[in-house]
Structure formats: C-alpha cells, structure tokens
Amino acid sequence: MVNTAERDRLGDGLGDRLEDRLGQRSDAVDSAADRLRPPAAQAGDAAHPPGAAPPPVAPLIALRDVRRAYSGSDGGPATEVLRGISLDIAAGEFVAIVGASGSGKSTLMHILGCLDRPSSGTYRFAGQDIAQLRADELAWLRREAFGFVFQGYHLVRSLDAQRNVEMPAVYAGAGLAERERRAAALLDQLGLADRATFRPGQLSGGQQQRVSIARALMNGGHVILADEPTGALDSRSGAEVVALLRELADAGHTVILITHDRAVAAQARRIVEIRDGQIVSDSGVRAPVAPRAMLPASLDPRRFRAAMTAGTAHGARPWTDMREAFAAAWTVMWTNRFRTALTLLGIIIGVASVIVMLAIGAGTQEKVIAKISSFGTNRLYVIPGGDNSRGPGGVLTEADVRTIRQVPHVVAVTPILRNKVMLRAGNVDAYVNAMGVTTDVRRVMNWNVARGLFFTEQDERQLATVVLLGKKTRERLYGDASPIGAYLLVNNVPFQVIGELEEKGATSGDADDDDIVLMPYPTGARRVIGTTNLNWITLLVDDIDNAEEVTKGITAALEATHRVRDFRVYNRAASVRAQTETQQTMTIMLGLVAAISLVVGGIGVMNIMLVTVKERTREIGIRMAAGARQRDIQRQFLTEAITVTLVGGLAGVLIGVIIGVALLHWEVPVIFSARAMLGAFACALVTGLVFGFMPARQAARLDPVTALASD
C-alpha cells in the first residue's frame, strides 16, 4: 500500500507540476483563441466584469441519446450495445461507471476517450461536437485531454518503462530532455524509479499498471479513463491503484472509472450504473468537486478550436520526428534480431549482386575494348572487290595508296601484301604468314619492336632483304635465343633478321599477329610473293569521329580513279563502336538480372512488414490511444521498412566491395563504379519506401478500438 506521506507527496507533486505545465501551454493558444472567438463570446466577457457572478459552467463531457451498434457478421442483424445514453460529467469529477460484463461500459469508455464514434446521438467535449472532428483532431484531443488506464495495462512490450511513459509526449512534440525529465519524475513519484529500464515482462502486474498511470499523466492526464484497472491485479495491488486514482481526483483530475466491482466503484464521488446499454441509476455528486480542476486553457470551450488547429498542424520538429521514428525502428529490429536478419539477407544479396555484376560487366567491357584497341580503334581498311559478288573483282595498287594519302584526316597509310611462305633457320622449318608493308605500318598497326630495329624507307627503296619476326615465329625457329643478326631463308631467298616485334596477344582474321614475318613491301612484292597487287590497304584516321567522313572521301576518290566501285571500305571504328555498345548492353543486362534479386528482397520486406503489422496491431492501438496521428503510425512503420533497407543497403555495398576485391585477387576483370554503388544503395532505399508503404498505410488506417482488442 502507498503510505499517507507518499500519497500527500504524490498528490501535491502531480498537482503542482501539472499546474506549471498547463500555465505554460495556455499562453501559447491565448492570442489565437481570442482572434477566433465570436463577437458574442467577447461581448459575454464584457458583460461579466470582475466581482460579478460567473455564468453557469457547461459540463466538460455531455452525451445525448448516444447509441452504438455493430454490424453483424456475414450480413447478420446489427447488435446495439449502447441504447440511448445521456450523461453529463463536469471537470474535476470522480465518476465510477459500474455494470456487469457485456453491459456496454467499455464501449462507453471508448466513445468517451474518442477511440470510437457513436452510431447516433451527440457527444460534446468542452462544447465541441466530436462527430465533426477529423481523425487527426481526435488524435490531438486524445493526447491533449485523455489518459488511459487499461485492465490489460497495454504497454508496448519492446519498450522499457521510461519509453512507455514518454510515448504520449513524443506524439505531442515534446523535446527529448523535457520528456525524459518528466517521465523520470512520474516514475519516481509512483515508486518505480528503480524500474525505469525494465520492460513490461520484467514488471509485476501492479508495477505495470502504475507505469500505465504514469503514461496517462505524461501529457497532463486531465481526464483519466480507467477501464477495469484492478481487474488483473491482486487485492493489494488493486487497492494501491484505486488509492492512486483517488489522489489524482483530489489533485483536480477528472477521473472516470469503469468497473464491475461495486466495492471499487464506492471509492468514487459519483456512481453511474449501466445495464444492457442504458443508464439505470446515477447517484449524483456525493462530495464537492475538487477546488482546482486540472483543465488547461487549450480545453476551454472559448479556446478549444484555436488550440486544436494549432496542435493538429504542429507536432514535433521534422528532425525530432525522424530521430524518434528511427530510434523506435531500431528498437523493433533489435528486439526481433533473427527475423530482421532474414529480411536483411534479401536486400544484402540484391545490393551486393548489383554492385558485383556491374563491376564485372565494366571490367569485361574494358578488357574487350583494350583488346580491340590493340588493332586500332580509328583504323579503316580498303579491300578489293565490290559489294556485288557478280561484279568486277577489283585490284588495289600502289597508286591507290598514294590516292588515299590525299584524303583529308588520313594520317598514315600502308599497303598490305600477304602470303604464306616457308622459313628455314638451320634445320628448322616454319610455314607462316609473310606481310610486305611500309614503315607506316608501325603507326597504323601499332607494331613496335621488342628488340632490334625496324626497316627504314631506304631499305624499301633498295629492296633490302631484311625481316622482323613475331614472337611465336621466333620461338618456333630459334627458341629462347636471340635471332637478331641471324640469316634465314624465305622461300629459299636469304634474309637477315633485324628485329623482333612486341607481343600483341591478338589475332586479325585468320592470322595470328604474333606468328608472322614482316618485310619491306617492295622486297616482298618483287623477290618473295611476286605480285604488286595488294591484299588490302590499311589507314589511320586522325580522330574516330572523322571515320565516316574519311570513308566517304576514300570511296569518292577511288571511284574517280577506278571508274567503278570494285572495292570496299571497312570502317573498323563503327565496328568498335558497335561492339562497345553491345558490351554496354550486356553490362546493363547483368545489372538488371542482379536488380531482380533486389526486387525480391523488397517483396520480402513488404511481406515481413505485413506480418509485423498483424503482430503489432495492439501496439498500434496503444499508440493511437496515446495520441498518435495516422501519419505518425504510417511514418513509424515506413521508417522501419526504410531502416531495414538502409542497413541492408550499407551491408550489401560492403559485401559487394569485398567480393569484388576477392575477384580481383583471382584476376577476374572488375571495375568498381561509385555511381553503381550509390545507385544500388539508392534503389535499396526506394525499395524500402515502395514496398513498405502499403503495410504502413494499412497500419495507419486501423481502427483504434479494433486494434486495442486484438491479441
């Protein structure tokens, strides 16, 4: 039991603290209320100067012929629970509504607390017709005027006692320090200071009910609605709770006690009996109403509408709202760690897959482009033979090379004369491709010398019998030995090896560019191959963007000299561009395939959130009773979905980078893209937003009474 000293301290402390808070809050709405008051009210104020008798005080709560019926299941007849209730309750009264189970007293309490609406009749609170209030206005009224004490305590299981008590102040927009101080003070006054960090499951029934009372007082608790507050308690704990309610009534709170126990009801100053949905007796007020009713200026009928307008429009600051939502979301995630981990897995796999797939695609694309670049990305080829297979075969000559050199944007040209030849070095023979080229081939074909020298223009003029060997050709003829300065036979013609070409590691058509022998074009044409008719002409364009213009220029120039189109110009630049675009398309496809797993993860988030809404329906009802607006509930569950995807997105980026680094170690071509990482992370957040919206909206639209009654 709470001793007398403790009761006196509790009553005085609660009363003084509430008066201080209410005085501060009343100033905030005075000016707005005065501007919105009708002229009649202002005239009324002038008609009652100080010292004159005040006008009759309207009841705080006024019910007139209130009925509540519930539709029957499967189209059956409706069940009428309340049958014409008319009741007035003044500010500061301590009223007990007593009745047997099924009499309709709990339904009446839900209507009084604005958790439910009557089917017909009128309910006026502080002179305002409740039927005209929107959902957010009802939420404001619940957190501004009412404090609920339920038989089943209705504490949020995932929050400790301190956070449960703070809940109404969170939705009222109170600052963190202010609500922590007030919640701690209330718990201390109720003898629970050492239980502030305990969760409901760690508290006894009596302790949980005292936490519920502290929560009811958090925003002032001007009207305390206690529904069977002793029903689940032992006699000692029940007596303590009733004593607390009496002390609150003595402190000036309006206390409405719903009970079936007449001994408990006898503690009230007024007893209203209800039977079969109708009031059958009303004892009237047995004692004077407390001299100082705990009503703030916001509930004054003259100020009510202005205060409601201000309170509904303004809650906590956006940053405070966001911080509270994320803190609550993190608490829920941590409480259900295993399920959260399974939900995160889908997002992590999706984000990591997108990052790794795009990185592999980009790396592969870069590798392919590098391979293509080894052949020259701005290189063009002129090939004998027209587009029509039945037309003239066509011949390319040295004169055509000189013609092509005159075309604008052509920076280098080399004739290509190619044929198979037999090489013999000592007793080793090799059958390889021989190419007769000019010195421009180094620039056009990107051929450099690994060791030795390249032939010169003088060698071309003198028909010098010199050659350069590709790496594979050198290995076939000389092994690891250096061939520089050695002589070999090319189709039985002696040639001196003057250089070895750098390894290209690529092929051109059916020829391996490393298994080749190069010689000056005049030498090859006259001493080895025996013809000056070229296999093709290769040229280099100054810029890849000019390739199309050069193609047209060559076509026009050669047509003018040949007088027939017996040749073709192959634009390798266009081919490179097409291959690049194809590779980019493949990379995008890889990203899209990976994105599917991200969508699947998002569906998993939605599924889990729908289950969460189902499991936490009662919690939603508790939050609504504490004054949460629909958008508060929606933001809460939407934030939880976004938090899951946020954590999953960050983990997915980290794991994707780790996998990419491992692939680099295994020499898989990987190129990370900051844009891809940010894109995957952003997609994860959007996924949480999109797939979390429907469950959040469903939670926000729940009926408070139905939510509170859920298991």
Side-chain angles (χ1 to χ4, degrees), residues 6 9-10 13-14 17 184-193 244:
E6 289 177 337
R9 176 172 57 84
L10 175 62
L14 290 175
R17 295 175 67 84
L186 287 170
L187 289 173
D188 181 49
Q189 291 167 357
L190 293 173
L192 295 173
L244 285 173

Side-chain angles (χ1 to χ4, degrees), residues 665-688:
H665 180 71
W666 294 327
E667 298 184 351
V668 176
V670 173
I671 296 179
F672 289 111
S673 168
R675 182 180 299 178
M677 293 181 187
L678 291 175
F681 182 72
C683 286
L685 292 183
V686 171
T687 298

Side-chain angles (χ1 to χ4, degrees), residues 35-290:
R35 289 196 302 270
L36 294 177
R37 287 167 59 197
Q42 299 177 15
D45 291 343
H48 296 281
V57 178
L60 178 65
I61 293 173
L63 303 179
R64 293 293 179 269
D65 195 27
V66 168
R67 298 176 180 271
R68 185 65 173 101
Y70 295 97
S71 300
S73 59
D74 299 328
T79 301
E80 193 172 40
V81 179
L82 298 182
R83 304 176 181 180
I85 297 291
S86 295
L87 178 66
D88 289 341
I89 299 176
E93 280 198 79
F94 184 9
V95 182
I97 298 177
V98 64
S101 178
S103 62
K105 58 185 185 299
S106 292
T107 300
L108 177 59
M109 188 208 77
H110 291 153
I111 290 176
L112 291 174
C114 299
L115 294 170
D116 198 5
R117 295 177 185 262
S119 302
S120 63
T122 60
Y123 170 25
R124 291 185 176 273
F125 183 90
Q128 298 294 315
D129 187 354
I130 300 303
Q132 298 177 357
L133 302 184
R134 302 187 305 272
D136 282 356
E137 293 173 334
L138 291 175
W140 173 85
L141 185 57
R142 285 195 294 269
R143 67 173 178 263
E144 183 74 13
F146 297 103
F148 294 90
V149 181
F150 298 99
Q151 177 180 358
Y153 322 129
H154 284 355
L155 302 177
V156 178
R157 314 301 294 180
S158 61
L159 302 180
D160 59 25
Q162 173 87 14
R163 301 305 173 197
N164 267 286
V165 174
E166 289 181 19
M167 189 188 303
V170 170
Y171 297 123
L176 178 63
E178 176 189 350
R179 66 173 186 264
E180 285 183 345
R181 176 186 57 78
R182 178 160 177 74
L186 287 170
L187 289 173
D188 181 49
Q189 291 167 357
L190 293 173
L192 295 173
D194 59 341
R195 296 291 189 270
T197 59
F198 285 36
R199 291 186 179 177
Q202 300 171 299
L203 300 173
S204 68
Q207 290 171 334
Q208 290 187 64
Q209 196 62 289
R210 278 188 278 168
V211 171
S212 179
I213 292 173
R215 182 181 62 193
L217 296 171
M218 187 63 190
N219 284 349
H222 315 298
V223 179
I224 302 295
L225 291 168
D227 184 15
E228 299 283 7
T230 63
L233 302 178
D234 56 59
S235 58
R236 178 180 177 181
S237 297
E240 290 179 350
V241 169
V242 172
L244 285 173
L245 293 176
R246 286 185 60 85
E247 290 164 1
L248 293 173
D250 292 340
H253 296 266
T254 303
V255 180
I256 302 175
L257 173 64
I258 310 296
T259 183
H260 68 281
D261 191 335
R262 293 186 177 274
V264 173
Q267 305 298 315
R269 299 192 184 98
R270 176 184 176 189
I271 300 176
V272 176
E273 184 176 359
I274 185 172
R275 184 184 305 157
D276 295 330
Q278 294 179 316
I279 294 177
V280 295
S281 67
D282 186 344
S283 67
V285 180
R286 297 189 311 187
V289 175

